[in-house]
Amino acid sequence: MTPPSTGKPAAPVTGNAVAINNFAFSPAKLKVKVGTKVTWTNQDTEAHTVTSSGSGGPLHSAALATHATYSFTFTKPGTYAYLCTIHPFMTATVEVTR
């Protein structure tokens, strides 16, 4: 017997690493605690960026070559949406909680 569906989207993944692979951020939804340092690693042969969506966001990586990394320590709770400015269809979020 399967439990009834709640209609909620899949829960964000916890951890502190995001892979950039096949033109996607994995996981696309990451949940971390305040003070967590998250590191993105480009596993594609194409360059990618990690850039906050909208103005004023904290994420601003340079173009990451293959195997390059970018790290950021989240110090305030909130949901941080970001994208690759080279490939704007690549989007993801980091949810920061206390």
Side-chain angles (χ1 to χ4, degrees):
M1 185 167 159
T2 57
S5 172
T6 61
K8 293 181 181 175
V13 174
T14 58
N16 67 345
V18 178
I20 304 170
N21 196 0
N22 293 325
F23 291 85
F25 296 106
S26 180
K29 291 184 179 182
L30 182 68
K31 187 173 186 176
V32 300
K33 298 276 189 197
V34 166
T36 301
K37 179 180 177 181
V38 176
T39 300
W40 289 260
T41 303
N42 185 9
Q43 298 174 353
D44 277 344
T45 55
E46 295 279 331
H48 296 294
T49 71
V50 177
T51 308
S52 292
S53 300
S55 62
L59 303 174
H60 298 286
S61 79
L64 302 174
T66 304
H67 304 300
T69 62
Y70 171 72
S71 296
F72 181 81
T73 301
F74 290 90
T75 58
K76 294 180 182 173
T79 299
Y80 297 83
Y82 64 94
L83 54 81
C84 169
T85 56
I86 302 167
H87 309 99
F89 59 87
M90 294 173 56
T91 61
T93 58
V94 176
E95 182 184 337
V96 182
T97 60
R98 291 204 182 276

